[in-house]
Amino acid sequence: MLKPAALLYDRFMRSVEEAGLLAWRTALLAPLSGSVLEIGAGTGRNLGRYPPAVTWLVMTEPDRNMRAILERQVRAGSREGEVVDAPAEHLPFPDGTFDAVVSTLVLCSVVDPDAALREIHRVLRPGGRLVFLEHVAAAERPARLRWQRRIEPIWKRVAGNCHLTRDSERAIGSAGFDITAIERASMRKAPGVIRPTIRGSAVAVDRGR
Ligand SMILES: C[S@@+](CC[C@H](N)C(=O)[O-])C[C@H]1O[C@@H](n2cnc3c(N)ncnc32)[C@H](O)[C@@H]1O
């Protein structure tokens, strides 16, 4: 039996996707090519948005309910891809496997974002790209940030460990990535506490530099 959270995710996000999220996904993924790993792929919202230049697509998803929906989407055939049961903190791939890693709305939910980013860096080839779209702390809106802090303990419990106050831009920069493009925008039609987002691209650079 699938858990309601997984079943309700697409329904919960439908108006947000239509209000702009889908367009963001399409634009972010369009430049990708070669071997791509998507972490926390959820129900497969990005699946149909990968361009043909992506020749090998692997999607990890640790939640078995989400994974069941994802596998169904792959079988339905919108795009070929391999589905792997693994958390982002422990990726079962050798160093330097992928040209790009995709993380959309995932760094909020992982148990340990710094460990996840270390793993993403490890599995990327040198110069490979992390493409990200994440909701983040409302650093420039003190009233909203206070509200995020207040409800985060409850939100985490009901929304699959989703944190509202993470600073994913700082975490990406601290994990050996050069952020080469970033946009900050409000995710329209989303609940206010998850509206502030960042999206962009970062290059894996040598940690020892
Ligand atoms: C808000 S959903 C986003 C799903 C999808 N990436 C999207 O863009 O719609 C968060 C996803 O992160 C996954 N997740 C939670 N903890 C994770 C972890 N430690 N490693 C990888 N994925 C994780 C969840 O199972 C869920 O699929």
Side-chain angles (χ1 to χ4, degrees):
M1 254 277 272
L2 290 177
K3 274 195 201 156
L7 286 171
L8 290 176
Y9 180 69
D10 285 344
R11 193 171 307 172
F12 175 74
M13 293 299 283
R14 186 172 303 148
S15 59
V16 184
E17 299 279 1
E18 288 169 0
L21 180 55
L22 203 54
W24 287 356
R25 294 181 188 276
T26 306
L28 270 179
L29 304 181
L32 295 180
S33 61
S35 53
V36 174
L37 170 68
E38 180 176 343
I39 59 158
T43 58
R45 301 302 305 174
N46 291 328
L47 199 51
R49 322 238 87 72
Y50 285 101
V54 172
T55 49
W56 183 41
L57 176 64
V58 180
M59 291 159 289
T60 64
E61 176 46 61
D63 180 284
R64 83 182 166 86
N65 299 287
M66 289 286 201
R67 203 169 55 248
I69 298 173
L70 179 61
E71 283 167 341
R72 199 184 300 157
Q73 297 284 2
V74 173
R75 280 196 301 275
S78 61
R79 177 64 158 97
E80 273 188 31
E82 294 171 33
V83 177
V84 175
D85 173 10
E89 295 90 337
H90 302 282
L91 294 172
F93 311 105
D95 297 359
T97 303
F98 297 99
D99 295 312
V101 173
V102 171
S103 173
T104 60
L105 308 175
V106 178
L107 293 178
C108 56
S109 298
V110 300
V111 176
D112 183 343
D114 294 333
L117 285 161
R118 273 197 302 278
E119 276 293 85
I120 292 169
H121 192 287
R122 182 185 65 74
V123 302
L124 275 171
R125 65 167 171 75
R129 280 187 178 277
L130 166 62
V131 170
F132 56 88
L133 189 177
E134 301 291 344
H135 69 79
V136 292
E140 280 152 31
R141 302 271 300 267
R144 182 167 288 180
L145 182 59
R146 272 197 301 279
W147 184 229
Q148 286 177 320
R149 288 195 177 122
R150 201 168 302 142
I151 73 161
E152 186 169 63
I154 300 163
W155 186 273
K156 274 190 307 194
R157 283 170 164 250
V158 297
N161 200 42
C162 173
H163 292 66
L164 300 172
T165 59
R166 286 197 167 157
D167 180 354
S168 294
E169 181 179 348
R170 182 212 53 77
I172 292 168
S174 303
F177 290 94
D178 270 350
I179 297 179
T180 52
I182 186 161
E183 290 191 54
R184 297 172 186 81
S186 179
M187 187 156 61
R188 291 183 53 226
K189 296 270 175 90
V193 286
I194 61 165
R195 276 196 186 185
T197 65
I198 55 168
R199 66 184 195 279
S201 175
V203 177
V205 290
D206 186 0
R207 285 167 192 286
R209 86 199 157 119

